[in-house]
Amino acid sequence: MYNKTPMFTRIHSLDNLDQRLQQLINWLFSFLIMVLPFIFCWLSDELFEFNKMLFVYSFTILIGGLYLARMILQKKLLWQRTPLDWPMAFFLLSQIISTIFSLHPRTSLLGYYTRLNGGLLSTFSYIILYYAFINNVDRKHRANFLFATFFSGIFISLYAIFEHFGHSFSCFIIKGSFDVSCWIQEVQTRVFASFGQPNWLAAYNVAL
């Protein structure tokens, strides 16, 4: 008599692997959301946005790769329709056309050279992350990511409040001194935490 046990075992193993990939994607999104606002590196000319974008691109590759692995594993396209599909498709098309006919294609592709943001590459990354989130994070768990974002915003605000009173966590990391001596800017009157500019910090908090 034909034994079906190995087939069921294989299916069960594939299901377990798929669940683990999905859990890993969820964990990577959580880490990205919580940590990204705090990313900066004083060893580069552009301390803040450039390094944040490298972090985003790295996680886009990781999350996008796991998303693709799930589709290969399930042998089907994991795709949910959303109201933003057509607007994003038209926007992406406009960016591709603009890059092709750009006076400076490299900048249009990569973005401004000290930031690596605002070009076609960053647009692709945001769209990949959007669809990876929609198709891998269960609807019932999405509120958790919203709360995680708000908690991150609270901590980054506290980061800035300490700067107002003359204590920068950035300087503590860079020089080991819990003051604002590592900045040439008047950080106490124009706090920016790990965003580089007060208006970027304000824009982040206003959006939240």
Side-chain angles (χ1 to χ4, degrees):
M1 184 176 178
Y2 179 69
N3 186 4
K4 294 184 179 180
T5 303
M7 181 183 295
F8 289 131
T9 302
R10 181 172 178 273
I11 293 173
H12 181 68
S13 298
L14 291 176
D15 287 340
N16 284 340
L17 178 58
D18 182 63
Q19 290 176 6
R20 289 180 182 180
L21 290 176
Q22 187 175 13
Q23 290 173 355
L24 184 54
I25 291 173
N26 278 252
W27 186 87
L28 288 173
F29 267 118
S30 297
F31 191 81
L32 176 63
I33 289 170
M34 291 292 293
V35 175
L36 179 61
F38 299 92
I39 295 295
F40 78 99
C41 179
W42 60 96
L43 301 177
S44 57
D45 290 337
E46 167 55 51
L47 280 69
F48 303 100
E49 188 173 0
F50 176 79
N51 298 289
K52 283 179 170 61
M53 288 308 302
L54 291 181
F55 193 73
V56 168
Y57 292 141
S58 298
F59 271 73
T60 300
I61 293 171
L62 290 173
I63 292 172
L66 292 172
Y67 179 27
L68 180 62
R70 287 196 68 207
M71 288 191 281
I72 294 173
L73 196 64
Q74 296 190 26
K75 297 180 180 179
K76 65 178 181 180
L77 182 66
L78 299 177
W79 186 274
Q80 295 181 35
R81 295 293 302 274
T82 75
L84 295 178
D85 289 351
W86 284 110
M88 284 197 297
F90 285 123
F91 179 74
L92 179 60
L93 179 62
S94 72
Q95 296 299 291
I96 293 172
I97 294 173
S98 298
T99 301
I100 293 172
F101 293 100
S102 173
L103 295 176
H104 201 282
R106 185 176 63 185
T107 301
S108 297
L109 177 63
L110 300 177
Y112 188 60
Y113 71 97
T114 61
R115 296 174 182 172
L116 292 185
N117 189 23
L120 184 62
L121 181 63
S122 62
T123 301
F124 268 121
S125 294
Y126 301 143
I127 291 176
I128 290 171
L129 290 173
Y130 172 76
Y131 282 108
F133 186 87
I134 292 297
N135 291 283
N136 290 278
V137 178
D138 294 333
R139 189 179 296 272
K140 62 182 179 180
H141 294 142
R142 291 176 190 174
N144 296 335
F145 290 91
L146 185 62
F147 285 122
T149 307
F150 275 105
F151 277 117
S152 182
I154 290 171
F155 285 120
I156 205 70
S157 297
L158 291 173
Y159 196 127
I161 290 171
F162 271 92
E163 287 181 337
H164 175 70
F165 293 101
H167 303 286
S168 173
F169 289 101
S170 300
C171 290
F172 181 75
I173 295 171
I174 296 170
K175 297 178 60 178
S177 58
F178 195 37
D179 52 30
V180 293
S181 61
C182 64
W183 302 121
I184 59 173
Q185 298 90 340
E186 295 182 9
V187 65
Q188 289 182 253
T189 55
R190 302 182 73 248
V191 298
F192 50 76
S194 56
F195 277 81
Q197 292 188 27
N199 56 333
W200 292 345
L201 173 63
Y204 177 73
N205 283 323
V206 167
L208 292 183

